[in-house]
Amino acid sequence: MAPEVTATAPPADIATLLQRLPYIRFRSNVPLAHIIDLELARMNLPLNEVAEIDTVSAIPSCVAEGLGVSVVPQIAIDDCNADLLCLPFGQPQLHRDIGLVERENSTRGPVISELHRLLGEASGPYGVTEG
């Protein structure tokens, strides 16, 4: 989850990129933004924040236009057609688990099982279909 992306920077360690390049912050009241902020706080780096964007899907476009670097989930990058440098973020690399729960004796069991199968299939290498 949450690789750092940059369009123009040469490969370097993440701390150097975050300190040297303008930072585009994902600012939203959602758990993902809080996870990213907590890791950045743990790293204790001086950031040169140039923008705060509350739509994670817009951030890779800003990075592709050369505005700076950011931290976003892999899925935000998968749909971006730009040539971006993607690096793992976090020590260890951050990820988030998303679950699907249901009542054990639900009459909707077959529908929920099919939804779970489709979500796992759509998630590709990031999905878990067993459970």
Side-chain angles (χ1 to χ4, degrees):
M1 191 212 56
E4 176 182 346
V5 295
T6 176
T8 58
D13 67 274
I14 290 172
T16 301
L17 290 173
L18 286 168
Q19 291 177 85
R20 189 172 48 191
L21 298 173
Y23 181 67
I24 303 165
R25 181 177 294 279
F26 174 44
R27 177 67 70 198
S28 182
N29 193 20
V30 297
L32 173 60
H34 298 298
I35 290 169
I36 294 168
D37 285 345
L38 283 172
E39 182 64 14
L40 288 169
R42 187 198 64 75
M43 294 173 77
N44 195 29
L45 301 172
L47 299 175
N48 176 21
E49 294 186 34
V50 294
E52 292 184 356
I53 299 178
D54 64 359
T55 307
V56 74
S57 60
I59 294 174
S61 298
C62 293
V63 172
E65 292 298 321
L67 298 178
V69 296
S70 191
V71 179
V72 297
Q74 182 66 45
I75 196 160
I77 301 165
D78 289 344
D79 293 333
C80 184
N81 293 326
D83 186 23
L84 300 174
L85 171 65
C86 301
L87 302 170
F89 177 73
Q91 223 26 273
Q93 182 176 354
L94 296 179
H95 75 278
R96 61 186 172 160
D97 294 322
I98 300 173
L100 177 66
V101 296
E102 69 179 294
R103 286 191 328 224
E104 190 170 338
N105 296 320
S106 172
T107 58
R108 298 181 184 118
V111 172
I112 293 172
S113 292
E114 180 64 7
L115 173 63
H116 185 250
R117 185 188 70 74
L118 291 170
L119 288 171
E121 186 178 290
S123 298
Y126 309 106
V128 177
T129 58
E130 302 287 323

